[in-house]
Amino acid sequence: MHSCGCLLIAILALSAAAKPIEIRASSVTLSLAKKLDTSGSAQYLVDQDRARAQALIQRGLNTTSQQNRRDATVPASESQAVVYVAQVNFGSSTTEYNLVVDTGSSTTWVGAGQPWTPDSSTTTNNEALVIYGSGQMEGTLYTGPVSLGNGLTVQNQGFALSHFAQGFQGYDGILGIGPEDLTLGTVVENPTETIPTITQNLKQSGLISQALVGVFFEPSSTDTAEGELSFGAPNSARYTGQLTYYPVTGTSPASRYWGIDQSITYGSTTILSVTAGIVDTGTTLIHLASDAFIAYQTATGAQLDSPAPIGTGLLYITTEQYNQLQNLDFHIGGDTYTLTPNAQIWPRALNAVIGGSSDLVYLIVSNLATPSGVGLDFVNGMCFLERYYSVYDTDQNRIGFASTEYTTSTVN
């Protein structure tokens, strides 16, 4: 149950209007703010989203050799209409850098936009390479203090300074909060070496008691909505009811990411049997294996729009068909997480942003373009995560979900 005000390039900015960082017992909470992307690149959302998902599949299947990392690249997020960015300081610099928050990667780096100058508080000895498909970063690895705001500093954090960054217009780098193993291949001289994430180092430094991060996104068709990261403990003020955890799937390649097992029904029709896939803040839409996507299209009676730049590449329905839309249910463990009809549609106020028509209703379920059974058969992106609070627990290798006040809202 989620509204996808996704395509808003959201900048996880420590908002001045609200307290930017709150340090509770054993946890650290950062506020997020959204920003609408009106540059025109959002029209290619489906293409970029799908390319990212397919690259995640290939990277998960490949070995950790540097050659394989070059062959299996992960698209950057600049063609999402919504990305969440954290304001972060590096070394002794007081400059704030906007970093895209990404659960689908784990290397933190800076230098795509504003320059950062190394200082005596940091040390270096290796070169770094991260390739994102629609972009890449080549640079130097550093170890030193990374500040998240209000004096909260993680000491001895590994990060990279980009000397060459392509495909990251509008922000300064990436804040990777995926599993540590996703940093394999980043260290050029030793591609089997991993780099502990900020979440892990917050715990190692004693600043939080658990290596986990809770994510809250507020669905909206404007840039006035809010979001939040909560390191160390879930923020119970952001969700309603029970927070339930599920083990990370054992099925590869989804097991390399924040992967889960789930099945999906539309109304009373099963469109995807129990299979593995991932939860990803770096993906906007919900992507399903091609057979499940076709089943969803058939059940809804939707038509497929022309690809960009002629159309949106999304499924669309009429207003009359929208009134007949049924619930889309995600069955995880023994629990059901529902996307109501309103949560299955693109915010109508943002149709023009993706090159759509004001007269149509666009659905946020897209085709993964691979058949079910490859080991990563769905991606629950931001359109799902705007309706449910999510928690990524490194210590216990599990993912949690809970309803929020926006689970059944009709903001779209």
Side-chain angles (χ1 to χ4, degrees), residues 127-195:
E127 294 303 304
L129 172 67
V130 183
I131 305 178
Y132 291 89
S134 60
Q136 71 179 59
M137 183 282 296
E138 298 177 20
T140 303
L141 285 170
Y142 286 83
T143 300
V146 174
S147 299
L148 301 177
N150 276 14
L152 179 71
T153 300
V154 185
Q155 301 293 340
N156 300 315
Q157 175 63 47
F159 63 92
L161 168 62
S162 171
H163 303 316
F164 173 78
Q166 182 181 47
F168 298 93
Q169 295 81 7
Y171 44 90
D172 299 316
I174 297 288
L175 176 62
I177 55 173
E180 181 182 345
D181 280 354
L182 294 181
T183 63
L184 286 166
T186 299
V187 182
V188 173
E189 290 86 349
N190 185 7
T192 62
E193 181 180 344
T194 60
I195 304 170

Side-chain angles (χ1 to χ4, degrees), residues 1-6 34 217-222 225 322 340-350 383 386-387 405-412:
M1 306 170 199
H2 195 75
S3 89
C4 175
C6 298
K34 283 186 179 180
F217 296 152
E218 177 187 349
S220 172
S221 58
T222 71
Y322 170 67
T340 63
N342 188 262
Q344 295 172 56
I345 68 172
W346 183 255
R348 284 167 279 190
L350 298 179
C383 288
E386 283 183 336
R387 299 294 181 158
E405 61 180 301
Y406 299 105
T407 295
T408 60
S409 68
T410 55
V411 296
N412 291 336

Side-chain angles (χ1 to χ4, degrees), residues 237-287:
R238 290 299 192 181
Y239 61 88
T240 59
Q242 182 175 344
L243 175 63
T244 304
Y245 288 95
Y246 308 93
V248 168
T249 182
T251 301
S252 178
S255 57
R256 290 203 60 198
Y257 305 96
W258 291 114
I260 56 173
D261 296 314
Q262 73 178 16
S263 63
I264 303 176
T265 56
Y266 174 78
S268 60
T269 302
T270 298
I271 62 172
L272 184 67
S273 297
V274 176
T275 188
I278 66 171
V279 183
D280 182 31
T281 62
T283 299
T284 299
L285 304 170
I286 295 170
H287 293 268

Side-chain angles (χ1 to χ4, degrees), residues 90-93 97 110-111 114-125 139-145 159-163:
F90 293 87
S92 59
S93 172
Y97 297 90
V110 66
Q114 300 183 85
W116 175 74
T117 302
D119 54 53
S120 59
S121 69
T122 59
T123 58
T124 183
N125 58 8
T140 303
L141 285 170
Y142 286 83
T143 300
F159 63 92
L161 168 62
S162 171
H163 303 316

Side-chain angles (χ1 to χ4, degrees), residues 378-398:
F378 60 84
V379 180
N380 293 356
M382 281 191 284
C383 288
F384 179 87
L385 297 173
E386 283 183 336
R387 299 294 181 158
Y388 291 98
Y389 190 84
S390 57
V391 180
Y392 307 86
D393 187 342
T394 299
D395 282 345
Q396 300 194 51
N397 200 34
R398 61 183 185 171

Side-chain angles (χ1 to χ4, degrees), residues 1 126 164 179 183 193 200 210 214 310 321 335 392-393 401:
M1 306 170 199
N126 277 309
F164 173 78
T183 63
E193 181 180 344
Q200 292 168 297
Q210 303 175 78
I310 298 173
Q321 288 174 302
D335 306 302
Y392 307 86
D393 187 342
F401 298 107

